[in-house]
Amino acid sequence: MTEWTRHHLYDLEDLSKEEIELILETARSFKEVSTRDVKKVPALRGKTVVMLFFEPSTRTRTSFELAAKRLSADTINFSSSGSALSKGESILDTARNIEAMNVDMIIVRHQSAGVPYILGAGVQASIINAGDGCHAHPTQALLDIFTMKERKGRVQGLKVAIIGDILHSRVARSNIWGLTKLGADVTLCGPTTLIPVGIRNLGVKVTHDLNDVLGTSDVLMLLRLQKERQQDKFLPSIREYARVFGINKEKLKKAKKDVLIMHPGPTNRGVELTADVADGEYSVILEQVTNGVAVRMAVMYLMSGKKTAE
Ligand code: CP
C-alpha cells in the first residue's frame, strides 16, 4: 500500500498516480462523516489549522474550515485586510509569526503563483495550496476527479473536455496533471487566445471547435472567464464567447446521454453555461462542492502524519 510521506501539498504535478489514488480512497472513507448527525471524528484533535487567504473564496475557504472542524482541529481565519501586511510586513514574516503560535497547517491562497512554495521553504508547518495565481489549485482538481470517479466508476479512459479560459485557469492546470496521471483522455477547448502555447506537451489534445468534444465527452468541465486576470483583450466580446463556447440546452442535445456537466465555481450564468444547464439533470456542480469537504478532510488527515484511511 502507498504510504503518504509529504509534508506540503503544492500541486498534483508533484504527486504519483498512487498518491492521488490514496487521497481519493481516503476521501471516500471520510465522505460518510458529513452525513452523520454528529459530523465529527477525532483525527486532528489538538491540531491547529490556519486559513491564510489573500484572495476571495466561497467554496475553498468554507470547505477547508468545515473539513478541519469535522476532523476536530482548531481553526483560525486570517484576514489580510486589517492585518500587519498593510504596515509593510512580508507574507513570509506573516506566516512565520502565525506559525510561532504553534500552528500545524497553513492553507494558503494567493494571487501570485509560487507563494505556497515560498512559505513551505520558510516555515515548519504543513502548507496546502488553496490556489496560487494561474498556477495550481490541487484540492479543486482532486475533488473534481473524486466526483468523476464516484459518478463514472473510473477515471482511466474517461473522455474529459475542459472548456474555456485555460490560459488563466489554475483549476485546468491541476486537473490536467491529475487526470492524465490517472489515464483520462483530456481535450482542451477554447478560443486560441485562451489556450497556452505548448500545453499539448502535458499530454492533452487541443481544439477550438466545441463540436469536436460535445458529442463524444463523458465530462464537460466548464471554466469561468477570469476577468480579474485578463489585462489584455483576449475576446471580441463576452456575448461572442457565450455564443461559441457557452453550453445551453440546445447544444446539450448533442452530448452523451450520461454526460456530466462540471464547473469549479463561481459560475457566470449566461456566459459559460445557461442557468437551466447549471441546475439541470446533467449538472454535478453542487456534488463537486459536497465532495470538496471529504477530499480536504483526506488531504489534511494524510498531511497530519496519518498514513491510512480510518
Ligand atoms: N472553486 C473555487 O476555488 O471556488 P472559490 O473561489 O469560491 O474558493
Side-chain angles (χ1 to χ4, degrees):
M1 185 181 177
T2 305
E3 289 227 330
W4 187 266
T5 55
R6 292 181 188 275
H7 189 53
H8 305 300
L9 178 62
Y10 298 129
D11 193 13
L12 300 195
E13 178 180 2
D14 311 321
L15 303 189
S16 67
K17 174 178 187 265
E18 290 73 24
E19 286 172 312
I20 295 172
E21 284 172 342
L22 176 61
I23 297 172
L24 300 179
E25 191 52 33
T26 309
R28 204 173 60 81
S29 67
F30 275 128
K31 189 166 173 183
E32 175 270 332
V33 173
S34 295
T35 65
R36 295 181 192 169
D37 261 2
V38 179
K39 301 173 181 57
K40 251 191 195 329
V41 288
L44 261 63
R45 193 163 50 202
K47 302 281 184 191
T48 305
V49 180
V50 175
M51 317 293 155
L52 198 60
F53 277 60
F54 298 91
E55 263 194 344
S57 170
T58 297
R59 283 145 288 269
T60 312
R61 185 173 182 149
T62 311
S63 161
F64 263 116
E65 189 168 354
L66 273 177
K69 285 185 184 334
R70 286 178 188 174
L71 293 169
S72 303
D74 296 314
T75 60
I76 302 290
N77 265 294
F78 169 88
S79 171
S80 54
S81 68
S83 76
L85 283 160
S86 60
K87 300 177 191 167
E89 191 166 45
S90 72
I91 294 168
L92 183 54
D93 278 338
T94 302
R96 280 188 175 143
N97 277 270
I98 288 170
E99 186 187 40
M101 300 177 220
N102 296 315
V103 159
D104 300 288
M105 279 183 212
I106 298 176
I107 318 299
V108 61
R109 168 171 289 191
H110 199 278
Q111 59 275 16
S112 299
V115 164
Y117 298 85
I118 293 168
L119 299 191
V123 301
Q124 299 299 315
S126 285
I127 299 294
I128 300 177
N129 184 1
D132 62 325
C134 301
H135 171 244
H137 193 349
T139 59
Q140 178 67 46
L142 287 165
L143 74 89
D144 293 338
I145 296 169
F146 181 93
T147 306
M148 289 178 213
K149 191 166 184 191
E150 190 176 63
R151 276 297 194 127
K152 296 289 186 187
R154 68 191 166 99
V155 180
Q156 172 83 38
L158 272 189
K159 288 187 181 297
V160 181
I162 306 179
I163 301 166
D165 182 359
I166 313 291
L167 184 66
H168 299 96
S169 177
R170 55 196 178 202
V171 173
R173 239 170 290 275
S174 289
N175 263 292
I176 290 168
W177 285 112
L179 286 166
T180 53
K181 283 179 193 210
L182 297 191
D185 178 350
V186 180
T187 303
L188 310 179
C189 176
T192 46
T193 49
L194 292 177
I195 306 264
V197 175
I199 195 91
R200 286 184 176 86
N201 295 338
L202 298 185
V204 296
K205 296 174 202 137
V206 171
T207 179
H208 307 296
D209 184 350
L210 189 61
N211 289 313
D212 288 344
V213 292
L214 204 50
T216 52
S217 298
D218 300 299
V219 176
L220 299 173
M221 182 186 292
L222 315 179
L223 301 175
R224 183 174 65 90
L225 277 184
Q226 302 204 20
K227 290 174 221 152
E228 73 274 26
R229 299 195 207 282
Q230 297 187 19
Q231 276 86 39
D232 302 319
K233 196 122 178 85
F234 289 92
L235 299 166
S237 71
I238 301 286
R239 186 187 295 187
E240 178 70 3
Y241 175 86
R243 190 184 65 76
V244 178
F245 293 102
I247 303 288
N248 57 26
K249 277 258 175 184
E250 195 52 38
K251 289 185 193 171
L252 257 193
K253 286 180 185 164
K254 293 187 190 154
K256 283 184 154 183
K257 293 297 159 229
D258 58 351
V259 71
L260 300 182
I261 297 290
M262 300 182 71
H263 194 305
T267 55
N268 285 321
R269 288 172 181 239
V271 181
E272 58 265 14
L273 77 179
T274 50
D276 51 6
V277 172
D279 302 327
E281 60 186 305
Y282 304 108
S283 171
V284 292
I285 295 171
L286 291 179
E287 276 180 47
Q288 290 172 258
V289 178
T290 301
N291 291 335
V293 177
V295 163
R296 288 168 177 132
M297 285 173 81
V299 167
M300 286 190 281
Y301 172 78
L302 292 167
M303 304 279 287
S304 72
K306 308 291 168 83
K307 293 185 168 52
T308 55
E310 275 194 336

